[in-house]
Amino acid sequence: MNLRRDVFQAIADPTRRAILLLVASQSMTAGVIASNFDTARPTVSKHLQILTECELLKQEQNGREIYYHINAKNMKEVADFIEPFRQMWEDRFNKLETIMKTYQTKKTT
């Protein structure tokens, strides 16, 4: 059975989120990525495969090495989904800040 993976399945796993954070700063090989985790290299390779299948990571061959780097275009899908929630929380925090300032003003007078 060939199930299509999507970005939300990929980021559901904490190890894959950690891999994305690592690769966000610079391209890395599978070995370098795996050295950052206390799991077997085949486990990390499976995570890389999932991230590549859902196109959150891209592979680039450089000589004998394969480097993984972020596919910013597909990360935007996640950001676009999260944006309304971020805006909602920002609005709530702004309202709370206004209430607290009003309360502090009343308390000092």
Side-chain angles (χ1 to χ4, degrees):
M1 181 183 292
N2 186 12
L3 297 175
R4 180 188 175 277
R5 298 188 192 273
D6 69 16
V7 294
F8 299 102
Q9 287 175 320
I11 64 171
D13 184 274
T15 301
R16 290 193 287 269
R17 289 192 305 267
I19 290 170
L20 289 171
L21 288 172
L22 277 172
V23 178
S25 61
Q26 68 180 21
S27 298
M28 296 181 182
T29 63
V32 172
I33 294 168
S35 69
N36 287 277
F37 297 93
D38 291 330
T39 58
R41 186 168 172 170
T43 303
V44 173
S45 292
K46 182 64 178 173
H47 287 302
L48 290 171
Q49 177 186 359
I50 291 168
L51 290 167
T52 303
E53 284 176 5
C54 69
E55 299 177 346
L56 286 176
L57 290 181
K58 288 184 178 181
Q59 296 177 338
E60 183 180 317
Q61 183 114 19
N62 188 355
R64 292 176 44 188
E65 299 287 345
I66 296 175
Y67 286 84
Y68 292 88
H69 56 92
I70 286 286
N71 181 359
K73 179 183 156 202
N74 282 11
M75 291 298 292
K76 186 174 178 340
E77 182 180 347
V78 176
D80 289 346
F81 176 79
I82 292 172
E83 180 59 26
F85 299 102
R86 187 195 62 76
Q87 187 61 48
M88 176 189 70
W89 282 107
E90 191 172 296
D91 291 344
R92 288 182 180 184
F93 284 125
N94 288 341
K95 287 177 185 175
L96 179 60
E97 183 178 28
T98 301
I99 291 169
M100 290 177 69
K101 285 180 180 178
T102 303
Y103 176 76
Q104 287 175 344
T105 304
K106 287 180 182 178
K107 190 176 178 181
T108 58
T109 56

